[in-house]
Amino acid sequence: MRWIWIDKFLEFKSGESAVALKNVTLAEEHLHDHFPGFPMMPECLMIEAMAQTAGILVGESRNFEEKVILAKIKKAAFYHFVCPGDTIILHARIDSIAPEAASTSGEIMRGDERIAQISLMFSHIDNNLAGKQFPEENFVFTDMFNSLLTGFVENKATSEQTE
Amino acid sequence: MAMSRDKIFEEVKEVLIDALGLDDDEVVADATLMGDLGAESIDFLDIIFRLEKSFDIKVPREELFPAEAVLNNPDFVSGGKLTEKGLAELKDKMPHTDLTEFEKDPNVNNIADLFTVDAIVNFVEGKVA
C-alpha cells in the first residue's frame, strides 16, 4: 500500500506546473490521534502531499524514466491549521531541472487563504549518489500514482510497459 | 558593466545563506562548503540552481564541482591519493580554485576542502565577466 496524499489533479502543465486537490476527512484515522479533540492534518503530511504533486510533475517531465526522490525541504512555512472537511489545493511549479535533480516551489491554499509555502529539491537518484546502483524498475512511480494523471497526460510509463 | 567582485561575493553569500540555512557571519571567503558550512551533496545542486537564477548564468555541475568525475576515474586516483595525471586534470577543470595547499597532500579526503566560498566567487566572476 502507498499512502497517497492527493486525491486528483486539477491542472497539469507538463514540465511547468501542476495543481492538485486533497479533501481532508475524519475517516483518516491518524487525525483521531492528531490531536484528540482537535483533529488537524499534520504539517509533515502536507509536505508529503506537495512532494507527491511536485514529484509527479518532475517525473512526468522526463517521461517517468527517472527515479525522483525527495532530497531536501528548502522551505516549509505554515500559516493555518487544516481540519477535517477542508479541501486544500496544492500548486507546484518547477523552478529548475537538470539531469541530476530538480527544484520546485509551491503553495497550499484553502479557498483564498494561503495555508503553506513549500519549496523542495528532488534527486534523480540514478544520476546521483556517486553511481550507486538501484533496482531497474521504477519503484517511485507506481500504478497508483499514474492513475492520478489519467486524462491529463498520456500514461507513458504504463503504455511503455505494456508494449 | 561587469559586476564588481564585492557585489558577486554579496550575492554568493545570499545564495549560501538561503541554500544552507546559515547566519550572515558564517559565510567568509575561506570557509569550506562541506567542512565549515555543512553542505551535503544535494546542497551542491541547490547552490547551482540558485546561482543560475541569481546571476542569470548556466552552471554545468561538472564545471563548478568537477571532483566527482575525477575521483571516479581509476587513472586519476591511486592509493587514496590523486595521481599526477589526476592533479593535472583537477587543475585543468578547476581553474577557479587555488590548489597550492592540496598539492602538498593530494589525499582524496582533502578534496572537499577545495570547495570554498572564494572558489564559487571566482567561478561566477569568470562567468559574468
Side-chain angles (χ1 to χ4, degrees), chain B residues 102-122:
Chain B
F102 179 72
E103 277 180 284
K104 292 178 192 160
D105 179 17
N107 191 309
V108 294
N109 293 323
N110 297 337
I111 225 162
D113 295 340
L114 296 176
F115 303 123
T116 61
V117 175
D118 232 6
I120 295 183
V121 175
N122 291 341

Side-chain angles (χ1 to χ4, degrees), chain A residues 66-118:
Chain A
E66 300 290 351
K67 299 177 186 98
V68 178
I69 297 289
L70 176 61
K72 177 175 177 178
I73 299 165
K74 295 201 293 179
K75 174 180 181 174
F78 300 92
Y79 307 106
H80 295 283
F81 298 132
V82 170
C83 300
D86 286 348
T87 296
I88 55 172
I89 308 290
L90 300 105
H91 299 259
R93 65 195 155 267
I94 295 178
D95 294 329
S96 302
I97 188 160
E100 307 89 1
S103 154
T104 67
S105 55
E107 293 89 41
I108 300 179
M109 306 290 292
R110 179 177 54 204
D112 294 333
E113 203 174 26
R114 188 168 68 184
I115 300 291
Q117 284 180 297
I118 301 174

Side-chain angles (χ1 to χ4, degrees), chain A residues 28-82:
Chain A
E28 295 168 34
E29 264 186 50
H30 57 274
L31 294 182
H32 302 181
D33 299 318
H34 190 279
F35 296 96
F38 187 70
M40 54 170 278
M41 183 172 181
E43 279 89 355
C44 56
L45 293 183
M46 287 196 245
I47 296 176
E48 176 61 23
M50 180 59 81
Q52 293 179 359
T53 308
I56 291 172
L57 177 66
V58 169
E60 193 277 336
S61 75
R62 299 274 156 128
N63 293 342
F64 297 110
E65 282 161 10
E66 300 290 351
K67 299 177 186 98
V68 178
I69 297 289
L70 176 61
K72 177 175 177 178
I73 299 165
K74 295 201 293 179
K75 174 180 181 174
F78 300 92
Y79 307 106
H80 295 283
F81 298 132
V82 170

Side-chain angles (χ1 to χ4, degrees), chain B residues 22-127:
Chain B
L22 301 169
D23 289 329
D24 211 51
D25 57 357
E26 286 179 276
V27 186
V28 291
D30 60 355
T32 61
L33 294 191
M34 294 169 95
D36 295 332
L37 305 182
E40 295 180 25
S41 64
I42 194 69
D43 296 321
F44 284 78
L45 291 160
D46 189 9
I47 291 166
I48 284 175
F49 285 152
R50 288 173 192 263
L51 289 174
E52 288 184 330
K53 287 239 182 303
S54 289
F55 293 97
D56 196 20
I57 51 176
K58 274 312 273 178
V59 183
R61 180 188 177 193
E62 62 283 0
E63 256 184 52
L64 182 55
F65 303 118
E68 198 175 297
V70 174
L71 292 177
N72 288 340
N73 186 328
D75 278 352
F76 296 153
V77 184
S78 168
K81 291 191 179 225
L82 283 201
T83 59
E84 267 188 36
K85 230 172 155 185
L87 257 180
E89 176 75 8
L90 201 63
K91 267 188 190 169
D92 183 50
K93 292 278 165 61
M94 296 182 83
H96 48 281
T97 305
D98 180 7
L99 297 180
T100 328
E101 276 302 307
F102 179 72
E103 277 180 284
K104 292 178 192 160
D105 179 17
N107 191 309
V108 294
N109 293 323
N110 297 337
I111 225 162
D113 295 340
L114 296 176
F115 303 123
T116 61
V117 175
D118 232 6
I120 295 183
V121 175
N122 291 341
F123 178 84
V124 173
E125 205 174 18
K127 282 274 174 190

Side-chain angles (χ1 to χ4, degrees), chain A residues 134-145:
Chain A
F134 291 95
E136 209 163 291
E137 84 274 6
N138 200 325
F139 51 83
V140 180
F141 296 110
T142 54
D143 287 349
M144 183 60 104
F145 271 138

